[in-house]
Amino acid sequence: VDTRGGGRLGSDTPNFRWCAMARGPSPSDPPGSEPWVATYDHPAGLPLSEARLMAKRFWYMGWFGLPLAWATNAYYFWPHVKGEIVPEDGDDARAELRAGREGSEGPSSNARPGGQPTILLDPIVKKYATQSFRGAQAAFFVLLAWAATFLVGGKELFGEKLWNRLSVTAQPPAE
Amino acid sequence: MRGQRPLPPDETSVLDAVGGEIVAIVSPVSICMMCCVFLVRLLRVDGEDATANVRGGIASAAYQEESSDSTAVRAGGAVLNSVVFVLFITCATFGIFFLFKHNCTRLIWGYMGLSGLLIFGVLGAVIGMETCQALDIPLDMLTFSLWTYNFSVVGVGVTFFGKTFGAPLVVKQGFLIFIGVVVAFYFTRIPEWTTWTLLVAMALYDIVAVLAPGGPLRVLVELAQERDEEIPALVYEAAPAARGARRGGGGVLESVMASRAGPPRTAGAAAGAAGGSGTPDYGAADADAETKPLIRGGDRDRGADRDGDGDGAETSRVERDADDADDADAFALPDAIKLGLGDFIFYSVLVGRAAMHDLFTMFACYFAVIQGLIATLLMLGFAKKALPALPISIAAGVVAYVGSRFFLEPVTQQAAARLVVF
């Protein structure tokens, strides 16, 4: 996996590099050489294979009537959906990264050689994240339409009996 | 916190250095308390009526309070209830410890996931319905059911199985606060006398459990440290403060401090609290993982966050200005403070119960608890190890409640009635 030249945020422009390889790290790669992909909690990231697995997992989970899972997926991998890694506050992130790199010469339990991992964007994660985002949007609009219909239509549209069965306020008190 | 600009080194003082971290913990605690107070004020019949149809579950196992009981009977019954509750918690914690020791961690997490599902899906849903009804929100059952289903499944996945189902930190924090609010709201069902004696008992238990050599929480924390594993617990992790500012103030972190706390508090207590109302009987021994001790964060990431530079925080990296060298030795807060969910819950119970009397007492207790929390955080900076977060706050809160209810309130009420403005 080509990790060189990946989104180094120490530079002035928030550039990024898409993961060149379509497959994840092979077993022959030394541990810790896996590139990391960006998440919403930038600069926290995830190792590539884990990120792909998680994006896929959320995508399939959403099909069980869970648009919130899609929304969480899109939210979590938001840099991929958006297509760029933008640090919240440029100075802060750069200061952190620089400090991180400086500190990597000192005692560190960071197993990755070279200290600070480079943060990348991945096309596969992007695919699942954007699909999840679109699915969540679609589900949200459908739900909104239904809720609005119920709200506006009220008893006139549904009839007294059906409305009483459907409305939360008409249910007997929970206790 | 995200987006903070680092201060120039010459401007950092102790307050500058720790202010961010303190706010990062005080905010969610406040949110949890305020949500609990809101629910209590909205959904509870306030005043003495509340005692009448109260079902406190495990916390009322020994004695059910009646309005007609004398003070002595109530006091005795309350102490009995508290003793039973604390024993229950101790057994549950030791149970978790033994499971953890024999590597049945998956069992623990699975069980916690199940109780989490019940908290979100049943207790949370009941609260949601009651809120809709009380506020007359014209929602329909289909939307509500779909939303409950989604919220529960995703919430449990994100909170309890964070490694399998990741989410942004703010989402995780939100779900944890929700759990805290729901459980605290159910604990406000406990009769009044029992509530206060229970809080005091839990504060005492906390001290013993965290600081005493054989205490269940301490041995659990030590075992997890030894094995370098995550404690099976629900812990609120505050977002790390801007590291630039901290470096100026001196960030001394010792890797041996990688302590996570996790006394499984029971959702069974909470579930038991709901059990009396006809909802499914959850049984007594649900072991949730809601933690007590206030712990130093900045420790090894085991999957909850994957800070690229989070690993750096846990090492013995010592960076300090020459001026601050002495300060740095004496006092340093970790980069990311972690507070157990049990603390959230008991703070919220205290403030919620005060709110059931009056908002006047509620505010007094709120400020007392927050002051206690900040005092504990400052102690954490000096002690540099896991500390119990309950004692100081509960003590302050109880004193504030008694003081404001029995001494302050009559005075201010009378003064206000006579138009003497305070």
Side-chain angles (χ1 to χ4, degrees):
Chain A
V1 177
D2 179 13
T3 62
R4 291 185 304 260
R8 289 191 196 274
L9 295 154
S11 58
D12 288 327
T13 54
N15 60 22
F16 58 90
R17 175 73 84 87
W18 293 97
C19 267
M21 306 282 287
R23 61 172 171 84
S26 60
S28 58
D29 287 343
S33 69
E34 203 180 350
W36 282 43
V37 297
T39 63
Y40 180 78
D41 292 325
H42 190 78
L46 278 182
L48 179 66
S49 53
E50 263 195 54
R52 286 178 175 173
L53 202 58
M54 203 177 280
K56 240 186 269 188
R57 218 178 257 147
F58 266 120
W59 170 244
Y60 290 127
M61 192 166 121
W63 284 106
F64 289 92
L66 293 170
L68 192 63
W70 283 335
T72 314
N73 198 13
Y75 192 24
Y76 193 38
F77 293 113
W78 190 246
H80 301 258
V81 176
K82 224 169 142 192
E84 57 176 356
I85 303 171
V86 180
E88 274 259 319
D89 184 308
D91 299 333
D92 195 22
R94 281 194 272 276
E96 280 184 36
L97 273 175
R98 248 182 267 121
R101 278 205 214 93
E102 283 159 18
S104 64
E105 279 91 38
S108 170
S109 63
N110 187 334
R112 284 170 288 281
Q116 193 72 8
T118 55
I119 305 288
L120 304 171
L121 298 179
D122 179 42
I124 295 186
V125 171
K126 176 185 164 86
K127 180 180 94 165
Y128 284 112
T130 11
Q131 279 175 340
S132 303
F133 183 54
R134 300 224 180 86
Q137 275 180 322
F140 174 71
F141 283 124
V142 167
L143 207 60
L144 190 66
W146 161 249
T149 313
F150 188 83
L151 178 74
V152 171
K155 287 189 180 157
E156 295 87 37
L157 186 60
F158 291 97
E160 183 90 22
K161 224 168 121 204
L162 186 61
W163 192 89
N164 278 337
R165 281 179 62 192
L166 280 182
S167 169
V168 171
T169 46
Q171 304 296 324
E175 293 176 276
Chain B
M1 310 286 275
R2 300 178 68 136
Q4 271 184 4
R5 285 169 48 238
L7 300 169
D10 47 58
E11 270 187 35
T12 54
S13 67
V14 168
L15 212 55
D16 288 319
V18 307
E21 280 111 4
I22 289 183
V23 169
I25 278 288
V26 167
S27 309
V29 171
S30 303
I31 292 173
C32 187
M33 288 199 272
M34 289 306 123
C35 289
C36 184
V37 165
F38 170 74
L39 287 176
V40 159
R41 295 298 286 184
L42 184 68
L43 301 176
R44 287 262 175 268
V45 179
D46 52 333
E48 302 313 312
D49 292 342
T51 317
N53 56 352
V54 147
R55 291 155 290 243
I58 185 76
S60 301
Y63 162 71
Q64 293 278 352
E65 188 170 314
E66 303 288 334
S67 336
S68 52
D69 286 340
S70 70
T71 309
V73 173
R74 284 195 202 191
V79 169
L80 209 58
N81 276 338
S82 312
V83 165
V84 168
F85 190 81
V86 168
L87 281 176
F88 180 56
I89 295 283
T90 317
C91 296
T93 315
F94 273 119
I96 298 281
F97 170 67
F98 284 123
L99 284 176
F100 189 56
K101 194 164 174 186
H102 299 289
N103 282 312
C104 303
T105 321
R106 298 187 81 182
L107 189 68
I108 300 176
W109 283 109
Y111 193 80
M112 275 165 46
L114 184 66
S115 46
L117 207 58
L118 292 174
I119 290 180
F120 276 112
V122 179
L123 303 188
V126 167
I127 290 180
M129 272 192 66
E130 286 185 345
T131 311
C132 281
Q133 289 172 347
L135 294 175
D136 217 11
I137 300 175
L139 206 59
D140 62 290
M141 285 304 287
L142 296 175
T143 316
F144 184 77
S145 320
L146 187 66
W147 172 248
T148 310
Y149 169 59
N150 268 266
F151 199 68
S152 314
V153 175
V154 175
V156 166
V158 160
T159 320
F160 294 91
F161 304 103
K163 275 187 235 151
T164 329
F165 299 100
L169 187 66
V170 66
V171 170
K172 284 188 193 161
Q173 292 171 339
F175 279 121
L176 281 171
I177 293 180
F178 181 81
I179 295 177
V181 170
V182 168
V183 178
F185 177 72
Y186 275 93
F187 272 13
T188 56
R189 286 194 189 200
I190 305 173
E192 183 161 21
W193 280 76
T194 309
T195 310
W196 293 105
T197 40
L198 188 70
L199 286 169
V200 172
M202 288 310 293
L204 294 171
Y205 166 78
D206 204 13
I207 300 177
V208 169
V210 174
L211 298 177
L217 297 176
R218 185 166 164 162
V219 294
L220 195 60
V221 167
E222 284 168 358
L223 183 62
Q225 272 180 257
E226 252 176 60
R227 285 201 202 162
D228 196 24
E229 270 178 37
E230 213 178 278
I231 293 185
L234 286 181
V235 177
Y236 180 95
E237 299 180 24
R243 299 242 163 80
R246 295 251 41 251
R247 297 246 154 80
V252 177
L253 298 169
E254 299 161 34
S255 51
V256 75
M257 295 314 161
S259 54
R260 290 169 182 262
R265 190 84 25 179
T266 71
S277 67
T279 51
D281 186 26
Y282 306 138
D286 286 1
D288 210 19
E290 293 155 3
T291 74
K292 270 270 206 54
L294 184 61
I295 45 181
R296 291 180 63 85
D299 49 3
R300 195 157 293 137
D301 290 321
R302 293 181 200 115
D305 328 313
R306 291 196 175 260
D307 280 68
D309 49 358
D311 286 345
E314 54 153 327
T315 66
S316 318
R317 183 187 309 169
V318 169
E319 294 172 65
R320 50 184 101 168
D321 290 337
D323 306 328
D324 294 330
D326 295 330
D327 283 345
D329 269 336
F331 182 87
L333 276 181
D335 279 348
I337 298 180
K338 297 182 173 77
L339 183 62
L341 207 62
D343 298 319
F344 278 77
I345 289 170
F346 285 109
Y347 294 160
S348 303
V349 169
L350 194 155
V351 174
R353 177 48 74 168
M356 282 169 79
H357 175 71
D358 191 29
L359 282 180
F360 185 80
T361 44
M362 186 274 281
F363 276 111
C365 291
Y366 169 72
F367 287 122
V369 166
I370 295 293
Q371 283 171 4
L373 179 62
I374 294 179
T376 314
L377 288 175
L378 291 176
M379 275 176 61
L380 186 69
F382 286 110
K384 298 188 177 57
K385 62 172 190 164
L387 285 184
L390 280 187
I392 303 179
S393 293
I394 300 285
V398 170
V399 167
Y401 180 75
V402 169
S404 64
R405 176 170 177 177
F406 296 109
F407 299 112
L408 206 53
E409 197 176 311
V411 174
T412 48
Q413 275 181 349
Q414 294 299 318
R418 285 160 179 70
L419 301 180
V420 172
V421 179
F422 262 65

